[in-house]
Amino acid sequence: MNSFERFCFNLLGMRMKAQREQYSQLRNDLISARLKTPFEVYISTAIVSSVLVGLIAAAGLGFLT
């Protein structure tokens, strides 16, 4: 894990572990794709990344209008 993934996992990891049952298909897909990233880290990174991009896009649009 790189430092960004580690930050995301520390931020949201316990919540993602609590929802382990809901993501069984994703876990199987990650295993079949032979990704070494645990699905809790994968989901945490995806959520934090999408929130950051959304905030940056909102700020950018705010400056344009």
Side-chain angles (χ1 to χ4, degrees):
M1 281 193 298
N2 61 29
S3 60
F4 181 66
E5 289 175 338
R6 214 176 282 277
F7 169 74
C8 297
F9 181 71
N10 287 335
L11 193 64
L12 296 174
M14 290 300 148
R15 291 182 185 164
M16 296 305 115
K17 282 185 179 181
Q19 297 178 356
R20 187 178 195 112
E21 300 290 324
Q22 295 177 352
Y23 296 109
S24 62
Q25 183 62 41
L26 175 62
R27 188 175 67 215
N28 292 336
D29 290 344
L30 290 174
I31 290 171
S32 66
R34 298 179 188 231
L35 292 178
K36 295 181 182 178
T37 306
F39 79 98
E40 292 97 346
V41 175
Y42 185 84
I43 294 171
S44 299
T45 304
I47 291 172
V48 171
S49 298
S50 63
V51 168
L52 286 176
V53 168
L55 290 174
I56 291 169
L61 288 174
F63 286 127
L64 290 175
T65 58

Short mmCIF file of all heavy atoms in Angstrom, two decimals:
data_model
loop_
_atom_site.label_atom_id
_atom_site.label_comp_id
_atom_site.label_asym_id
_atom_site.label_seq_id
_atom_site.Cartn_x
_atom_site.Cartn_y
_atom_site.Cartn_z
N MET A 1 0.84 -1.18 0.00
CA MET A 1 0.00 0.00 0.00
C MET A 1 0.88 1.24 0.00
O MET A 1 1.87 1.30 0.73
CB MET A 1 -0.86 0.04 1.25
CG MET A 1 -2.06 -0.84 1.22
SD MET A 1 -3.26 -0.50 2.53
CE MET A 1 -2.35 -0.83 4.00
N ASN A 2 0.48 2.20 -0.80
CA ASN A 2 1.20 3.47 -0.76
C ASN A 2 0.61 4.36 0.34
O ASN A 2 -0.34 3.99 1.02
CB ASN A 2 1.18 4.15 -2.13
CG ASN A 2 -0.21 4.47 -2.61
OD1 ASN A 2 -1.12 4.69 -1.83
ND2 ASN A 2 -0.39 4.49 -3.92
N SER A 3 1.17 5.54 0.51
CA SER A 3 0.77 6.39 1.63
C SER A 3 -0.68 6.89 1.48
O SER A 3 -1.38 7.03 2.48
CB SER A 3 1.74 7.56 1.77
OG SER A 3 1.75 8.33 0.60
N PHE A 4 -1.12 7.16 0.25
CA PHE A 4 -2.50 7.61 0.05
C PHE A 4 -3.49 6.50 0.40
O PHE A 4 -4.50 6.74 1.07
CB PHE A 4 -2.72 8.08 -1.38
CG PHE A 4 -4.10 8.59 -1.65
CD1 PHE A 4 -4.56 9.74 -1.04
CD2 PHE A 4 -4.95 7.92 -2.50
CE1 PHE A 4 -5.83 10.22 -1.26
CE2 PHE A 4 -6.23 8.38 -2.75
CZ PHE A 4 -6.67 9.53 -2.12
N GLU A 5 -3.21 5.28 -0.03
CA GLU A 5 -4.08 4.15 0.31
C GLU A 5 -4.10 3.91 1.82
O GLU A 5 -5.14 3.60 2.40
CB GLU A 5 -3.62 2.89 -0.41
CG GLU A 5 -3.88 2.91 -1.89
CD GLU A 5 -3.30 1.70 -2.60
OE1 GLU A 5 -2.37 1.06 -2.06
OE2 GLU A 5 -3.77 1.40 -3.71
N ARG A 6 -2.95 4.06 2.45
CA ARG A 6 -2.87 3.88 3.89
C ARG A 6 -3.69 4.94 4.62
O ARG A 6 -4.40 4.64 5.59
CB ARG A 6 -1.40 3.96 4.30
CG ARG A 6 -1.03 3.09 5.44
CD ARG A 6 0.46 3.17 5.73
NE ARG A 6 1.26 2.39 4.80
CZ ARG A 6 1.48 1.09 4.93
NH1 ARG A 6 0.93 0.44 5.92
NH2 ARG A 6 2.23 0.45 4.07
N PHE A 7 -3.62 6.19 4.15
CA PHE A 7 -4.41 7.27 4.73
C PHE A 7 -5.91 6.98 4.59
O PHE A 7 -6.67 7.12 5.55
CB PHE A 7 -4.06 8.60 4.06
CG PHE A 7 -5.00 9.71 4.41
CD1 PHE A 7 -4.96 10.31 5.64
CD2 PHE A 7 -5.95 10.15 3.48
CE1 PHE A 7 -5.84 11.34 5.96
CE2 PHE A 7 -6.83 11.16 3.79
CZ PHE A 7 -6.77 11.76 5.04
N CYS A 8 -6.33 6.58 3.40
CA CYS A 8 -7.74 6.27 3.16
C CYS A 8 -8.22 5.12 4.02
O CYS A 8 -9.32 5.17 4.58
CB CYS A 8 -7.96 5.95 1.69
SG CYS A 8 -7.60 7.31 0.58
N PHE A 9 -7.38 4.10 4.14
CA PHE A 9 -7.77 2.95 4.95
C PHE A 9 -7.86 3.32 6.42
O PHE A 9 -8.78 2.88 7.12
CB PHE A 9 -6.79 1.80 4.75
CG PHE A 9 -7.13 0.58 5.54
CD1 PHE A 9 -8.23 -0.18 5.20
CD2 PHE A 9 -6.38 0.20 6.62
CE1 PHE A 9 -8.58 -1.31 5.93
CE2 PHE A 9 -6.71 -0.91 7.36
CZ PHE A 9 -7.81 -1.68 7.02
N ASN A 10 -6.94 4.13 6.90
CA ASN A 10 -7.00 4.56 8.30
C ASN A 10 -8.23 5.41 8.55
O ASN A 10 -8.80 5.39 9.65
CB ASN A 10 -5.74 5.34 8.69
CG ASN A 10 -4.55 4.43 8.82
OD1 ASN A 10 -4.66 3.25 9.08
ND2 ASN A 10 -3.37 5.00 8.62
N LEU A 11 -8.67 6.14 7.54
CA LEU A 11 -9.83 7.00 7.67
C LEU A 11 -11.14 6.21 7.65
O LEU A 11 -12.04 6.45 8.46
CB LEU A 11 -9.82 8.04 6.54
CG LEU A 11 -10.76 9.22 6.64
CD1 LEU A 11 -10.40 10.07 7.85
CD2 LEU A 11 -10.65 10.04 5.38
N LEU A 12 -11.26 5.25 6.74
CA LEU A 12 -12.53 4.55 6.52
C LEU A 12 -12.46 3.03 6.67
O LEU A 12 -13.47 2.36 6.45
CB LEU A 12 -13.05 4.86 5.11
CG LEU A 12 -13.41 6.30 4.81
CD1 LEU A 12 -13.76 6.45 3.35
CD2 LEU A 12 -14.55 6.75 5.68
N GLY A 13 -11.33 2.49 7.02
CA GLY A 13 -11.15 1.05 7.00
C GLY A 13 -12.10 0.27 7.89
O GLY A 13 -12.64 -0.76 7.51
N MET A 14 -12.33 0.75 9.10
CA MET A 14 -13.20 0.02 10.03
C MET A 14 -14.65 0.00 9.54
O MET A 14 -15.35 -1.00 9.70
CB MET A 14 -13.14 0.64 11.43
CG MET A 14 -11.83 0.42 12.11
SD MET A 14 -11.51 -1.35 12.31
CE MET A 14 -9.76 -1.35 12.17
N ARG A 15 -15.08 1.08 8.91
CA ARG A 15 -16.44 1.11 8.35
C ARG A 15 -16.57 0.12 7.21
O ARG A 15 -17.61 -0.51 7.03
CB ARG A 15 -16.79 2.50 7.87
CG ARG A 15 -16.95 3.48 8.99
CD ARG A 15 -17.34 4.83 8.49
NE ARG A 15 -17.37 5.77 9.59
CZ ARG A 15 -17.37 7.06 9.45
NH1 ARG A 15 -17.36 7.59 8.25
NH2 ARG A 15 -17.40 7.85 10.49
N MET A 16 -15.53 0.00 6.41
CA MET A 16 -15.58 -0.93 5.28
C MET A 16 -15.51 -2.38 5.75
O MET A 16 -16.15 -3.25 5.18
CB MET A 16 -14.43 -0.65 4.30
CG MET A 16 -14.50 0.70 3.63
SD MET A 16 -16.05 0.98 2.78
CE MET A 16 -16.73 2.32 3.73
N LYS A 17 -14.77 -2.63 6.81
CA LYS A 17 -14.72 -3.98 7.36
C LYS A 17 -16.08 -4.39 7.92
O LYS A 17 -16.46 -5.55 7.85
CB LYS A 17 -13.65 -4.09 8.45
CG LYS A 17 -12.26 -4.19 7.92
CD LYS A 17 -11.26 -4.41 9.03
CE LYS A 17 -9.88 -4.53 8.47
NZ LYS A 17 -8.88 -4.77 9.52
N ALA A 18 -16.80 -3.41 8.47
CA ALA A 18 -18.14 -3.70 9.01
C ALA A 18 -19.13 -4.05 7.91
O ALA A 18 -20.10 -4.77 8.14
CB ALA A 18 -18.64 -2.52 9.82
N GLN A 19 -18.88 -3.59 6.69
CA GLN A 19 -19.78 -3.85 5.56
C GLN A 19 -19.26 -4.95 4.66
O GLN A 19 -19.59 -5.00 3.48
CB GLN A 19 -19.98 -2.57 4.77
CG GLN A 19 -20.63 -1.47 5.55
CD GLN A 19 -20.77 -0.20 4.75
OE1 GLN A 19 -20.31 -0.11 3.63
NE2 GLN A 19 -21.42 0.78 5.34
N ARG A 20 -18.47 -5.84 5.19
CA ARG A 20 -17.82 -6.90 4.42
C ARG A 20 -18.81 -7.77 3.66
O ARG A 20 -18.55 -8.18 2.53
CB ARG A 20 -16.98 -7.74 5.37
CG ARG A 20 -16.14 -8.74 4.71
CD ARG A 20 -15.31 -9.52 5.73
NE ARG A 20 -14.27 -10.21 5.02
CZ ARG A 20 -13.00 -9.94 5.10
NH1 ARG A 20 -12.59 -9.00 5.90
NH2 ARG A 20 -12.13 -10.61 4.40
N GLU A 21 -19.95 -8.04 4.24
CA GLU A 21 -20.95 -8.92 3.62
C GLU A 21 -21.52 -8.31 2.33
O GLU A 21 -21.84 -9.03 1.40
CB GLU A 21 -22.08 -9.20 4.60
CG GLU A 21 -21.66 -9.87 5.89
CD GLU A 21 -21.22 -11.30 5.66
OE1 GLU A 21 -21.83 -11.96 4.80
OE2 GLU A 21 -20.27 -11.73 6.34
N GLN A 22 -21.65 -6.99 2.31
CA GLN A 22 -22.27 -6.33 1.16
C GLN A 22 -21.37 -6.35 -0.07
O GLN A 22 -21.84 -6.19 -1.19
CB GLN A 22 -22.60 -4.88 1.50
CG GLN A 22 -23.65 -4.75 2.57
CD GLN A 22 -23.89 -3.29 2.92
OE1 GLN A 22 -23.18 -2.41 2.48
NE2 GLN A 22 -24.90 -3.06 3.74
N TYR A 23 -20.07 -6.54 0.13
CA TYR A 23 -19.12 -6.45 -0.97
C TYR A 23 -18.50 -7.79 -1.32
O TYR A 23 -17.36 -7.85 -1.77
CB TYR A 23 -18.02 -5.44 -0.62
CG TYR A 23 -18.53 -4.03 -0.46
CD1 TYR A 23 -18.59 -3.44 0.80
CD2 TYR A 23 -18.95 -3.31 -1.56
CE1 TYR A 23 -19.06 -2.14 0.94
CE2 TYR A 23 -19.41 -2.01 -1.42
CZ TYR A 23 -19.46 -1.44 -0.17
OH TYR A 23 -19.93 -0.16 -0.03
N SER A 24 -19.23 -8.87 -1.16
CA SER A 24 -18.67 -10.19 -1.45
C SER A 24 -18.36 -10.36 -2.94
O SER A 24 -17.34 -10.95 -3.30
CB SER A 24 -19.62 -11.29 -0.97
OG SER A 24 -20.85 -11.21 -1.65
N GLN A 25 -19.20 -9.83 -3.81
CA GLN A 25 -18.95 -9.93 -5.25
C GLN A 25 -17.71 -9.13 -5.65
O GLN A 25 -16.91 -9.59 -6.46
CB GLN A 25 -20.16 -9.45 -6.05
CG GLN A 25 -20.01 -9.61 -7.55
CD GLN A 25 -19.83 -11.06 -7.97
OE1 GLN A 25 -20.48 -11.94 -7.45
NE2 GLN A 25 -18.94 -11.30 -8.91
N LEU A 26 -17.54 -7.96 -5.08
CA LEU A 26 -16.35 -7.16 -5.37
C LEU A 26 -15.10 -7.88 -4.89
O LEU A 26 -14.09 -7.89 -5.59
CB LEU A 26 -16.45 -5.79 -4.70
CG LEU A 26 -15.23 -4.89 -4.83
CD1 LEU A 26 -14.94 -4.57 -6.28
CD2 LEU A 26 -15.39 -3.64 -4.01
N ARG A 27 -15.16 -8.47 -3.72
CA ARG A 27 -14.02 -9.22 -3.20
C ARG A 27 -13.65 -10.35 -4.13
O ARG A 27 -12.47 -10.56 -4.45
CB ARG A 27 -14.33 -9.74 -1.80
CG ARG A 27 -13.12 -10.35 -1.12
CD ARG A 27 -13.42 -10.73 0.30
NE ARG A 27 -14.38 -11.83 0.31
CZ ARG A 27 -15.32 -12.00 1.22
NH1 ARG A 27 -15.47 -11.13 2.19
NH2 ARG A 27 -16.13 -13.03 1.16
N ASN A 28 -14.65 -11.06 -4.63
CA ASN A 28 -14.38 -12.15 -5.57
C ASN A 28 -13.81 -11.63 -6.89
O ASN A 28 -12.92 -12.25 -7.47
CB ASN A 28 -15.67 -12.95 -5.83
CG ASN A 28 -16.12 -13.70 -4.61
OD1 ASN A 28 -15.34 -14.01 -3.73
ND2 ASN A 28 -17.41 -13.99 -4.55
N ASP A 29 -14.31 -10.49 -7.35
CA ASP A 29 -13.79 -9.90 -8.58
C ASP A 29 -12.34 -9.45 -8.43
O ASP A 29 -11.53 -9.62 -9.34
CB ASP A 29 -14.65 -8.71 -9.01
CG ASP A 29 -16.03 -9.13 -9.50
OD1 ASP A 29 -16.22 -10.33 -9.79
OD2 ASP A 29 -16.91 -8.26 -9.57
N LEU A 30 -12.01 -8.88 -7.28
CA LEU A 30 -10.62 -8.47 -7.05
C LEU A 30 -9.68 -9.68 -6.98
O LEU A 30 -8.56 -9.63 -7.48
CB LEU A 30 -10.51 -7.65 -5.76
CG LEU A 30 -11.13 -6.26 -5.80
CD1 LEU A 30 -11.08 -5.63 -4.42
CD2 LEU A 30 -10.43 -5.38 -6.80
N ILE A 31 -10.15 -10.75 -6.39
CA ILE A 31 -9.35 -11.97 -6.33
C ILE A 31 -9.17 -12.56 -7.72
O ILE A 31 -8.06 -12.96 -8.09
CB ILE A 31 -9.99 -12.99 -5.36
CG1 ILE A 31 -9.86 -12.48 -3.93
CG2 ILE A 31 -9.33 -14.36 -5.50
CD1 ILE A 31 -10.65 -13.29 -2.92
N SER A 32 -10.24 -12.60 -8.50
CA SER A 32 -10.13 -13.17 -9.85
C SER A 32 -9.28 -12.29 -10.77
O SER A 32 -8.68 -12.80 -11.71
CB SER A 32 -11.51 -13.39 -10.46
OG SER A 32 -12.15 -12.16 -10.69
N ALA A 33 -9.21 -10.98 -10.49
CA ALA A 33 -8.35 -10.09 -11.26
C ALA A 33 -6.90 -10.14 -10.77
O ALA A 33 -6.04 -9.48 -11.32
CB ALA A 33 -8.87 -8.67 -11.18
N ARG A 34 -6.67 -10.90 -9.72
CA ARG A 34 -5.34 -11.08 -9.11
C ARG A 34 -4.74 -9.78 -8.60
O ARG A 34 -3.54 -9.57 -8.65
CB ARG A 34 -4.39 -11.76 -10.08
CG ARG A 34 -4.85 -13.15 -10.45
CD ARG A 34 -3.90 -13.79 -11.41
NE ARG A 34 -4.49 -15.03 -11.89
CZ ARG A 34 -3.85 -16.18 -11.87
NH1 ARG A 34 -2.63 -16.26 -11.42
NH2 ARG A 34 -4.44 -17.26 -12.34
N LEU A 35 -5.60 -8.91 -8.10
CA LEU A 35 -5.13 -7.69 -7.46
C LEU A 35 -4.77 -8.02 -6.02
O LEU A 35 -5.50 -8.72 -5.33
CB LEU A 35 -6.20 -6.60 -7.48
CG LEU A 35 -6.54 -6.01 -8.84
CD1 LEU A 35 -7.65 -5.00 -8.72
CD2 LEU A 35 -5.32 -5.36 -9.45
N LYS A 36 -3.67 -7.51 -5.57
CA LYS A 36 -3.21 -7.79 -4.22
C LYS A 36 -3.78 -6.82 -3.20
O LYS A 36 -3.58 -6.97 -2.01
CB LYS A 36 -1.69 -7.75 -4.17
CG LYS A 36 -1.06 -8.84 -4.99
CD LYS A 36 0.45 -8.79 -4.91
CE LYS A 36 1.04 -9.88 -5.78
NZ LYS A 36 2.51 -9.84 -5.76
N THR A 37 -4.51 -5.82 -3.66
CA THR A 37 -5.09 -4.83 -2.76
C THR A 37 -6.32 -5.41 -2.08
O THR A 37 -7.24 -5.87 -2.75
CB THR A 37 -5.51 -3.58 -3.56
OG1 THR A 37 -4.39 -3.12 -4.29
CG2 THR A 37 -6.01 -2.49 -2.65
N PRO A 38 -6.36 -5.40 -0.75
CA PRO A 38 -7.57 -5.85 -0.06
C PRO A 38 -8.77 -4.97 -0.42
O PRO A 38 -8.61 -3.78 -0.68
CB PRO A 38 -7.23 -5.69 1.42
CG PRO A 38 -5.75 -5.62 1.47
CD PRO A 38 -5.30 -5.04 0.18
N PHE A 39 -9.94 -5.56 -0.44
CA PHE A 39 -11.09 -4.80 -0.92
C PHE A 39 -11.45 -3.64 0.00
O PHE A 39 -11.99 -2.64 -0.44
CB PHE A 39 -12.29 -5.70 -1.19
CG PHE A 39 -13.05 -6.11 0.03
CD1 PHE A 39 -14.20 -5.45 0.38
CD2 PHE A 39 -12.62 -7.16 0.81
CE1 PHE A 39 -14.91 -5.82 1.50
CE2 PHE A 39 -13.32 -7.54 1.92
CZ PHE A 39 -14.47 -6.87 2.28
N GLU A 40 -11.14 -3.75 1.30
CA GLU A 40 -11.39 -2.64 2.22
C GLU A 40 -10.56 -1.42 1.82
O GLU A 40 -11.02 -0.29 1.84
CB GLU A 40 -11.07 -3.02 3.66
CG GLU A 40 -11.98 -4.05 4.25
CD GLU A 40 -11.41 -5.45 4.17
OE1 GLU A 40 -10.42 -5.66 3.43
OE2 GLU A 40 -11.95 -6.34 4.85
N VAL A 41 -9.32 -1.66 1.43
CA VAL A 41 -8.44 -0.59 0.99
C VAL A 41 -8.92 -0.04 -0.34
O VAL A 41 -8.94 1.18 -0.56
CB VAL A 41 -6.98 -1.10 0.89
CG1 VAL A 41 -6.07 -0.03 0.31
CG2 VAL A 41 -6.48 -1.56 2.24
N TYR A 42 -9.34 -0.92 -1.23
CA TYR A 42 -9.82 -0.52 -2.55
C TYR A 42 -11.04 0.40 -2.43
O TYR A 42 -11.09 1.46 -3.05
CB TYR A 42 -10.15 -1.78 -3.35
CG TYR A 42 -10.55 -1.54 -4.77
CD1 TYR A 42 -9.59 -1.38 -5.76
CD2 TYR A 42 -11.89 -1.49 -5.14
CE1 TYR A 42 -9.95 -1.17 -7.08
CE2 TYR A 42 -12.25 -1.27 -6.44
CZ TYR A 42 -11.28 -1.11 -7.41
OH TYR A 42 -11.64 -0.90 -8.71
N ILE A 43 -12.00 0.02 -1.62
CA ILE A 43 -13.22 0.81 -1.45
C ILE A 43 -12.92 2.12 -0.74
O ILE A 43 -13.42 3.18 -1.14
CB ILE A 43 -14.29 0.00 -0.69
CG1 ILE A 43 -14.72 -1.19 -1.51
CG2 ILE A 43 -15.48 0.87 -0.34
CD1 ILE A 43 -15.60 -2.15 -0.76
N SER A 44 -12.10 2.08 0.29
CA SER A 44 -11.75 3.30 1.02
C SER A 44 -11.07 4.30 0.10
O SER A 44 -11.38 5.50 0.13
CB SER A 44 -10.83 2.97 2.19
OG SER A 44 -11.46 2.12 3.10
N THR A 45 -10.15 3.82 -0.71
CA THR A 45 -9.45 4.69 -1.64
C THR A 45 -10.41 5.27 -2.68
O THR A 45 -10.33 6.46 -3.02
CB THR A 45 -8.31 3.93 -2.34
OG1 THR A 45 -7.45 3.38 -1.34
CG2 THR A 45 -7.51 4.83 -3.24
N ALA A 46 -11.33 4.47 -3.17
CA ALA A 46 -12.29 4.94 -4.16
C ALA A 46 -13.21 6.02 -3.58
O ALA A 46 -13.48 7.03 -4.24
CB ALA A 46 -13.13 3.77 -4.68
N ILE A 47 -13.65 5.84 -2.36
CA ILE A 47 -14.55 6.81 -1.74
C ILE A 47 -13.83 8.13 -1.49
O ILE A 47 -14.33 9.20 -1.84
CB ILE A 47 -15.15 6.25 -0.43
CG1 ILE A 47 -16.13 5.12 -0.75
CG2 ILE A 47 -15.83 7.34 0.38
CD1 ILE A 47 -16.63 4.37 0.45
N VAL A 48 -12.65 8.07 -0.90
CA VAL A 48 -11.91 9.30 -0.60
C VAL A 48 -11.52 10.02 -1.90
O VAL A 48 -11.62 11.24 -1.99
CB VAL A 48 -10.68 9.00 0.28
CG1 VAL A 48 -9.79 10.22 0.42
CG2 VAL A 48 -11.11 8.50 1.65
N SER A 49 -11.11 9.27 -2.90
CA SER A 49 -10.73 9.88 -4.18
C SER A 49 -11.91 10.58 -4.83
O SER A 49 -11.78 11.70 -5.34
CB SER A 49 -10.19 8.82 -5.14
OG SER A 49 -9.03 8.24 -4.62
N SER A 50 -13.08 9.94 -4.81
CA SER A 50 -14.25 10.56 -5.43
C SER A 50 -14.70 11.80 -4.67
O SER A 50 -15.12 12.79 -5.29
CB SER A 50 -15.38 9.56 -5.56
OG SER A 50 -15.81 9.12 -4.29
N VAL A 51 -14.59 11.80 -3.36
CA VAL A 51 -14.95 12.99 -2.58
C VAL A 51 -13.97 14.12 -2.87
O VAL A 51 -14.39 15.28 -3.08
CB VAL A 51 -14.99 12.66 -1.07
CG1 VAL A 51 -15.07 13.93 -0.24
CG2 VAL A 51 -16.16 11.75 -0.76
N LEU A 52 -12.68 13.82 -2.93
CA LEU A 52 -11.68 14.85 -3.23
C LEU A 52 -11.89 15.45 -4.62
O LEU A 52 -11.84 16.67 -4.80
CB LEU A 52 -10.28 14.28 -3.11
CG LEU A 52 -9.76 14.04 -1.71
CD1 LEU A 52 -8.39 13.37 -1.75
CD2 LEU A 52 -9.69 15.33 -0.93
N VAL A 53 -12.13 14.61 -5.60
CA VAL A 53 -12.36 15.10 -6.97
C VAL A 53 -13.63 15.94 -7.03
O VAL A 53 -13.68 16.97 -7.70
CB VAL A 53 -12.39 13.93 -7.97
CG1 VAL A 53 -12.90 14.37 -9.32
CG2 VAL A 53 -11.01 13.31 -8.10
N GLY A 54 -14.66 15.51 -6.33
CA GLY A 54 -15.90 16.28 -6.30
C GLY A 54 -15.72 17.66 -5.68
O GLY A 54 -16.24 18.66 -6.18
N LEU A 55 -14.95 17.72 -4.59
CA LEU A 55 -14.70 19.02 -3.95
C LEU A 55 -13.85 19.92 -4.84
O LEU A 55 -14.12 21.13 -4.94
CB LEU A 55 -14.00 18.80 -2.61
CG LEU A 55 -14.85 18.18 -1.50
CD1 LEU A 55 -14.00 17.90 -0.28
CD2 LEU A 55 -16.02 19.08 -1.16
N ILE A 56 -12.86 19.36 -5.49
CA ILE A 56 -12.01 20.16 -6.39
C ILE A 56 -12.83 20.65 -7.58
O ILE A 56 -12.70 21.81 -8.01
CB ILE A 56 -10.79 19.34 -6.83
CG1 ILE A 56 -9.86 19.14 -5.63
CG2 ILE A 56 -10.05 20.02 -7.96
CD1 ILE A 56 -8.74 18.14 -5.86
N ALA A 57 -13.68 19.80 -8.13
CA ALA A 57 -14.51 20.20 -9.26
C ALA A 57 -15.51 21.28 -8.85
O ALA A 57 -15.74 22.24 -9.59
CB ALA A 57 -15.25 18.99 -9.83
N ALA A 58 -16.09 21.15 -7.66
CA ALA A 58 -17.03 22.16 -7.19
C ALA A 58 -16.32 23.50 -6.98
O ALA A 58 -16.86 24.56 -7.32
CB ALA A 58 -17.67 21.71 -5.88
N ALA A 59 -15.12 23.45 -6.43
CA ALA A 59 -14.36 24.69 -6.23
C ALA A 59 -13.99 25.31 -7.59
O ALA A 59 -14.07 26.53 -7.77
CB ALA A 59 -13.10 24.43 -5.42
N GLY A 60 -13.61 24.48 -8.54
CA GLY A 60 -13.27 24.98 -9.88
C GLY A 60 -14.45 25.60 -10.57
O GLY A 60 -14.34 26.66 -11.19
N LEU A 61 -15.59 24.96 -10.47
CA LEU A 61 -16.80 25.54 -11.07
C LEU A 61 -17.23 26.80 -10.35
O LEU A 61 -17.78 27.72 -10.97
CB LEU A 61 -17.93 24.51 -11.05
CG LEU A 61 -17.79 23.35 -12.03
CD1 LEU A 61 -18.89 22.33 -11.81
CD2 LEU A 61 -17.81 23.87 -13.46
N GLY A 62 -16.99 26.86 -9.05
CA GLY A 62 -17.32 28.06 -8.30
C GLY A 62 -16.49 29.25 -8.73
O GLY A 62 -16.97 30.38 -8.77
N PHE A 63 -15.23 29.02 -9.07
CA PHE A 63 -14.38 30.10 -9.53
C PHE A 63 -14.73 30.55 -10.95
O PHE A 63 -14.53 31.71 -11.30
CB PHE A 63 -12.90 29.70 -9.49
CG PHE A 63 -12.34 29.66 -8.08
CD1 PHE A 63 -11.70 28.54 -7.63
CD2 PHE A 63 -12.46 30.76 -7.24
CE1 PHE A 63 -11.18 28.49 -6.34
CE2 PHE A 63 -11.94 30.73 -5.96
CZ PHE A 63 -11.29 29.59 -5.51
N LEU A 64 -15.25 29.63 -11.74
CA LEU A 64 -15.60 29.97 -13.12
C LEU A 64 -16.90 30.75 -13.23
O LEU A 64 -17.11 31.49 -14.19
CB LEU A 64 -15.69 28.71 -13.98
CG LEU A 64 -14.38 28.00 -14.26
CD1 LEU A 64 -14.63 26.71 -15.03
CD2 LEU A 64 -13.44 28.91 -15.03
N THR A 65 -17.79 30.57 -12.27
CA THR A 65 -19.08 31.26 -12.37
C THR A 65 -19.15 32.49 -11.51
O THR A 65 -18.39 32.83 -10.73
CB THR A 65 -20.24 30.33 -11.97
OG1 THR A 65 -20.03 29.87 -10.65
CG2 THR A 65 -20.33 29.19 -12.93
#
